[in-house]
């Protein structure tokens, strides 16, 4: 993984961890479920963004290199598997 | 698009169109909403599968060819745009 | 289903059917997959909107009436099943 | 929130937090992106399950009570807002 990608990913992870800690406090303090759910939706969006960052990095590096090295079958079938996993 | 991909995609489209016609009849005959919703979820899944078929075909052909032809920037940024569009 | 809900739903269905017909033509004319996928994503969004309309109608009518008639267990467990189905 | 719901939710949160810690280590140790993405998809699924638990608790308690107390408009429009937020 390129350093810029992993640093961006780690920053996003810290944000998500902090946000989850906030949800934990809300549940412990018996906050109204609707307000808790709004926060978990925001966390889910943040994880999707993190996945976007990781995927973009992967496409620009490993996928391009893999195809140029003649390993297309492998890198493409990994992408297809990821797509199916993400939509299961 | 390869012939096998487009034939598979057209067959899936016919199925989706038939399924949508069924939902139309259900609404016209005032079927219980819960039963209508179960059908629309099935249609959404069928569209996701169709997208999977199209994407897989695209990865195996245009993306691999694009990278080998030195047009990586273009084909990869198209994939990133698609990912963002799919998750918006 | 209330008449306003079913009329809105049928209008949205017609739009989705027209949009699917466009995708069929694109595939038959061998349009670039990326452009086809952009259209299928738009169709998926339109189906989600249709589901929103159906669900909103259902909540305002059958769910409220069911709870007032003492059939909470039934209407609530139907909603939970729908939620699980939608996220499967 | 009922005690059973909040205890279940807190247990799921702990699992998600642990899983996120694992993803952090994977990124720090420069694990192959595809393997990291498989883990973030699993986390996203776990958050969806947590949301299901919170929503189910909310439907069985606040929504039923709200409708019985004549506050249908409020509790139903909150659900519609949540649905739209979850699908945005």
């Amino acid at each position: 993984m390129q350093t810029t990608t992993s640093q961006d990913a780690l920053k996003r992870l810290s944000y998500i961890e902090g946000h989850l800690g906030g949800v934990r406090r809300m549940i412990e303090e018996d906050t109204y479920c609707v307000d808790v759910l709004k926060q978990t939706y925001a966390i889910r969006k943040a994880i999707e963004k993190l996945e976007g960052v990781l995927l973009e990095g992967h496409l620009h590096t490993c996928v391009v290199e893999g195809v140029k090295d003649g390993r297309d079958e492998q890198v493409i079938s990994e992408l297809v598997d990821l797509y199916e996993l993400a939509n299961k």
Side-chain angles (χ1 to χ4, degrees), chain A residues 13-70:
Chain A
L13 262 183
S14 298
Y15 170 79
I16 293 166
E17 286 168 334
H19 211 150
L20 273 176
V23 165
R24 171 177 291 282
R25 276 189 300 282
M26 289 177 93
I27 295 177
E28 285 168 350
E29 293 165 2
D30 204 19
T31 308
Y32 188 44
C33 323
V34 171
D35 296 320
V36 181
L37 279 166
K38 284 180 185 167
Q39 296 310 313
T40 63
Y41 291 152
I43 291 173
R44 199 155 27 113
K45 287 281 156 197
I47 291 180
E48 282 169 21
K49 283 270 183 190
L50 167 65
E51 290 168 359
V53 166
L54 293 172
L55 183 65
E56 186 170 349
H58 178 62
L59 291 170
H60 279 294
T61 56
C62 312
V63 172
V64 169
E65 287 160 24
V67 172
K68 290 191 170 160
D69 290 356

Side-chain angles (χ1 to χ4, degrees), chain A residues 1 6 16 24 38-39 52 54 57 60 71 73 79 82 85 88:
Chain A
M1 211 180 286
S6 67
I16 293 166
R24 171 177 291 282
K38 284 180 185 167
Q39 296 310 313
L54 293 172
H60 279 294
R71 289 179 289 106
E73 274 314 311
L79 284 180
L82 277 183
L85 199 62
K88 207 159 60 184

